[in-house]
Structure formats: structure tokens, C-alpha cells
Amino acid sequence: MARDERGVGAQSEDFAAWYNEVVFKAGLVDRGPVKGTMVIRPYGYRLWEQLQSELDRRIKDTGHENAYFPLLIPESYLSREAEHVEGFSPELAVVTHAGGKELEEKLVVRPTSETIIGEMMAKWISSHRDLPLLLNQWANVVRWELRPRMFLRTTEFLWQEGHTAHADEADAYRETMLALDIYREVARDLAAIPVVPGEKTPGERFAGAVATFTIEGMMRDGRALQLGTSHYMGTNFATAFDIRYTSEAGRGELCHTTSWGMSTRMIGGIVMTHGDDKGLVFPPRLAPYQVVIVPITRGGNVAVEEAADELARRLRAAGVRTHVDGRPQLSPGFKFNEWEMRGVPIRLELGPRDLAAGTAMMVRRLGDDGKQATSIDSLPESMPGVLDEFQAFLLARATEFRDSHTRTVDSWEDFADAVSIGWAWALHCGTRACEEDIKSITAATPRCIPLDGEPANGACVRCGVASAYGKRVIFGRAY
């Protein structure tokens, strides 16, 4: 795979190898000592913090409150909801000994928190006045992963998980769709990923849910990535954990619950949606550094260094996340290549001639503008607009790529061709056996039934039986 010592391999040659190389070489992540675990390095964690703070604000703005629940869950809690425990059994990590003794009851390391939060909800809810109960948790979870890939599938990862209880189905469904809309907004407006919101087919539902909704993004190899999910649980967990309330009429009623989550998988989605053969490309609204200033000094130039620091101070005062790369042991060219590979949206080069002219050389990470001499004095005022333009450019670029790799198909031959490079919109019978048949032949799965899909009926693209959903389903190979 062709590259120089600072670069990465070509996506077109081996996308998986490109991804693996860039997340390590750009300093986002390293391998943990236990197989399947990851160490999120400071640069990668800065990205997570940006996403976390923006998502947390949106969650709180809609009336949810943060809480924290234990990492260890009694095994008996999971077994109360049969479908739930069956769905998670292959992924569970279980503690059998502690304090030098064998435990009387095994403890499960949190794979998700429906069960332990359900236990607390039953304790905290007694009246209709206690509803809705709107909780959110920022936490780590453990799901034993046999085929790990950093950020996408790791044994331990970080996420937020919302858990809510409601008086009736209608209110719980509104909550489910509210969470999905928050995720869509975060993906589109912050990560610049044009996701498709939709409902999962029964075969793809979350274990124990009545309905699962998802946002699906297309990566630059044409594969789909599930970037956030929201689940309506009905009264399944309320029944299992006796989550009841007394209605205004004085009757005992079961609560309707929801759960929803977005994880560090979003970092992998950002990498694979925007990256190129030079490395990462970060959307400005989430980038750890929006601007990096590289002083060009041969043997040191105090005036240039001071001017770079002053420009950084003024940019930060204007709300721009700015870093000055003043490492004297590295050449400017090395720094240019490194920050390009690390995905910084805007680079500013500042040398003695630039300083004398009152300008800095501005370089966008992508686009056809090339280098552009820009007034130093104007940069604090103009930079927010430059970053907004770059953000919009990335969204438009990702949207065009997705649309050009998506086909509406009616024949099996066209379906197979479409999912080999992207997504297929196809009619489907809705049976799990047919889904499995399609997957075994093409590796494609039903990603979602799009919420805004046009009405459509006809024969299943694979088996010819009447379609089940009244609209086309998105199929694609997925991570």
C-alpha cells in the first residue's frame, strides 16, 4: 500500500486497513491490554468531549436529568426479561469471585442498564404525578467482542443511555421519536453526516423492545453504520420489574418505558464518512482543534512566534478552538503533513514575510481554494464564517456521495449490484428467513424502513412474496 512515512494507505486499495491505520497514526486511540479494549488518547477524547457536551446539552434542554447507576448488575435482574437476556447472553462478562470468595449470585458487568434502572424505577414511581420520569446516564458498558475494531466494535466503550417511563404508549412513543430526532440533529448538524432515520425490521430489533428506531449513515466504502438507536419498550420491562403507577382514576397501571443511546461509535462514523487518502477530515463543530497555526521560523523568530500566540489568543476569544504548533524540533513541512493527516479543518501558516505583509496563509483541509493569503487582523472576525462554510461543504459532500451510491431496485440482479457498492431501496416481505437468505448471499441486511419513505407495494425483491411495510426498505452491508 503506497504511502510516505507520515501518510496513510489509499482507501480504494483496502478501506479497512486505511481505517485501522489512520485511527492509530492520528493519535485517536491505542489498544488496551485486554483483547478488544481500547485506550482513547487525548486527541480522540477531545473529539468525544465535544460530541458529549453538545449531546448532553440537547438532552438536558428536553427535560432529562443525568444520573448514574452501578456497573455491576445481579444476574437475576437480566433473567427477568427473557428476550433481553437471550439477546445479550453471548456478549456478557460475568463476575463470579470477589474479595477472595465465590459470590452467591453472579454479577454481570453492565452491557446496558434497562434492568437495573427498571428496578430503581419501580422503587421511585408510585403515582401519575411521578411521570414522566426522564433519566440519562453517561457511562461505560462491556459487551464481549470477538472481532474488535476500534470505536466500531470494542469490548468496552463509552456512551449515553436514556431511560424513561411514561403513563401511556402515546407519550412513550413521543419520547422515542424525540430522542431519535436529537440523534439526527447531532449527526447532521454537528458531525456533518446525512443520516436516514427509520424503523428497524423485527429481525433487527433491540432485544426486549416493541419497536427500534435508528439513524443510518453511509461510510465512504458504501457500507452502512448505525449511529444511534431509540427503543420503545412497551410494558415489557414494566411487567418484568413491576414498574407501576396509580392513575388519576385510582387504578394501578403499568408504565411504558423507552431507552436510547449514542456511543463512541460516532467517532468511527466521523472518520469513515469524511476521511480521505491523506487521513482524517474533521467537521469544524466537533474538531478537537478547528484551527492550527504553524509558525514558520528558521532558527527561531521571536516576532513570528509572538504574533502566532497573539493570533491564537484573539481566535480563542472569538470562540475558535485554536492550537499553535511551536515544536522547534520539527520542520514546517512535517507539521503541515501531520495536521493534514490529523484532520484539522483550517491551517494557518505564518512566516516572517507573511507577518511583514500583515497576512497569514490559510489552507483548508478539503476544497479547491488552495492557499489563500488572509489579513491577520480580519481572521478573528472571518474565521467563524470560514468554519461554517467548511462544515456545510462536508455535509454536501457526504450527501452527494450517499445519493450517488444509493439505487432504487426491483430485480435481484440490480439489488446485488447496488449493495456491492452502496445501498439498495427495495421491497421486502418482512420475514426473518428471507433476511437471512439475503445476508448469506450478499452480506447485506435491512438497515431501516425509512420514516420519510414514499408509499410503495409490490413483490419482495428476493422471494417474490408481497412486501410487508408499505414502503421500500434500505438494504446495505454494514459495520
Side-chain angles (χ1 to χ4, degrees):
M1 196 178 295
R3 69 176 71 80
D4 65 32
E5 64 178 5
R6 296 178 300 254
V8 294
Q11 290 182 346
S12 59
E13 292 182 17
D14 189 333
F15 192 86
W18 169 87
Y19 175 82
N20 195 51
E21 187 176 18
V22 76
V23 296
F24 286 101
K25 191 170 268 191
L28 296 182
V29 71
D30 208 339
R31 291 183 178 88
V34 175
K35 182 180 179 181
T37 62
M38 64 178 171
V39 176
I40 305 176
R41 298 181 64 179
Y43 193 58
Y45 201 77
R46 280 178 179 267
L47 179 62
W48 174 243
E49 285 180 317
Q50 287 299 126
L51 175 66
Q52 183 184 40
S53 64
E54 290 286 348
L55 180 53
D56 190 63
R57 179 177 61 79
R58 286 164 171 79
I59 290 171
K60 288 174 178 172
D61 284 350
T62 50
H64 301 80
E65 294 184 296
N66 284 345
Y68 185 79
F69 297 85
L71 175 69
L72 299 177
I73 301 172
E75 187 180 46
S76 60
Y77 281 27
L78 266 77
S79 62
R80 290 191 211 174
E81 215 292 325
E83 186 179 351
H84 195 64
V85 70
E86 182 182 353
F88 278 100
S89 286
E91 301 174 326
L92 297 181
V94 181
V95 178
T96 60
H97 290 73
K101 296 180 180 180
E102 185 174 356
L103 297 173
E104 291 184 9
E105 180 178 4
K106 295 176 183 178
L107 302 176
V108 174
V109 182
R110 174 176 53 215
T112 180
S113 297
E114 281 79 11
T115 58
I116 197 163
I117 293 178
E119 178 77 6
M120 293 298 103
M121 285 179 168
K123 182 178 179 180
W124 297 340
I125 297 169
S126 60
S127 165
H128 63 90
R129 297 181 183 87
D130 299 321
L131 298 174
L133 180 59
L134 308 176
L135 301 173
N136 180 64
Q137 171 174 239
W138 290 95
N140 61 334
V141 293
V142 171
R143 299 178 185 176
W144 212 257
E145 182 57 56
L146 299 177
R147 294 178 294 277
R149 183 173 294 182
M150 296 297 101
F151 295 116
L152 302 179
R153 291 190 179 276
T154 50
T155 290
E156 181 187 8
F157 56 91
L158 306 180
W159 75 350
Q160 60 74 215
E161 48 179 322
H163 296 270
T164 67
H166 304 263
D168 56 37
E169 178 180 343
D171 198 49
Y173 251 109
R174 279 192 293 271
E175 170 72 20
T176 305
M177 303 315 294
L178 171 65
L180 190 73
D181 198 51
I182 290 173
Y183 292 157
R184 182 204 58 78
E185 180 183 297
V186 166
R188 177 183 171 86
D189 297 347
L190 300 181
I193 302 176
V195 293
V196 176
E199 184 175 359
K200 287 289 190 182
T201 64
E204 295 282 327
R205 272 187 203 137
F206 181 71
V210 172
T212 289
F213 298 87
T214 178
I215 54 169
E216 299 284 329
M218 181 185 286
M219 307 298 99
R220 291 195 70 78
D221 62 349
R223 291 179 180 262
L225 185 66
Q226 177 180 289
L227 292 163
T229 51
S230 185
H231 317 287
Y232 169 58
M233 300 298 196
T235 58
N236 291 346
F237 284 86
T239 300
F241 289 87
D242 200 29
I243 310 172
R244 296 178 180 272
Y245 71 97
T246 303
S247 69
E248 290 185 67
R251 293 191 300 270
E253 304 281 357
L254 287 169
C255 292
H256 293 249
T257 65
T258 78
S259 71
W260 29 277
M262 178 175 279
S263 76
T264 39
R265 169 178 275 220
M266 177 61 86
I267 295 177
I270 292 168
V271 171
M272 294 194 294
T273 299
H274 302 302
D276 63 10
D277 288 352
K278 295 180 180 179
L280 303 174
V281 179
F282 282 148
R285 290 176 189 165
L286 292 179
Y289 303 126
Q290 296 170 309
V291 173
V292 166
I293 302 172
V294 180
I296 302 173
T297 61
R298 294 178 180 175
N301 185 312
V302 174
V304 170
E305 292 168 354
E306 289 180 346
D309 289 339
E310 174 61 17
L311 176 56
R313 185 194 65 77
R314 293 176 61 214
L315 285 169
R316 291 177 191 132
V320 178
R321 294 186 294 281
T322 306
H323 174 69
V324 178
D325 188 348
R327 293 174 291 176
Q329 70 274 25
L330 298 176
S331 70
F334 185 97
K335 296 175 186 178
F336 297 163
N337 286 331
E338 181 178 44
W339 289 112
E340 187 169 62
M341 189 265 292
R342 298 187 81 187
V344 170
I346 303 294
R347 185 176 76 244
L348 295 176
E349 303 169 7
L350 184 61
R353 292 182 181 177
D354 302 303
L355 186 58
T359 62
M361 197 64 68
M362 182 167 65
V363 184
R364 292 171 175 80
R365 176 59 179 80
L366 283 177
D368 301 324
D369 296 333
K371 292 188 175 184
Q372 177 183 348
T374 307
S375 165
I376 292 174
D377 289 341
S378 70
L379 278 168
E381 181 179 354
S382 64
M383 188 56 70
V386 171
L387 293 169
D388 284 344
E389 289 175 3
F390 191 74
Q391 181 85 22
F393 167 79
L394 289 185
L395 178 60
R397 174 176 175 261
T399 302
E400 190 280 329
F401 182 87
R402 182 199 65 188
D403 293 349
S404 67
H405 287 74
T406 302
R407 291 172 57 191
T408 299
V409 301
D410 290 306
S411 72
W412 178 246
E413 292 75 14
D414 288 345
F415 178 95
D417 287 344
V419 297
S420 69
I421 61 167
W423 292 354
W425 290 66
L427 295 169
H428 189 251
C429 63
T431 67
R432 191 169 301 192
C434 189
E435 287 181 12
E436 290 297 326
D437 183 42
I438 290 172
K439 182 179 180 180
S440 68
I441 298 170
T442 67
T445 55
R447 305 315 309 152
C448 68
I449 309 158
L451 295 181
D452 59 357
E454 295 292 330
N457 287 291
C460 172
V461 72
R462 177 57 183 164
C463 69
V465 173
S467 58
Y469 303 113
K471 58 177 70 173
R472 292 179 182 271
V473 178
I474 292 179
F475 280 83
R477 297 170 302 157
Y479 285 96

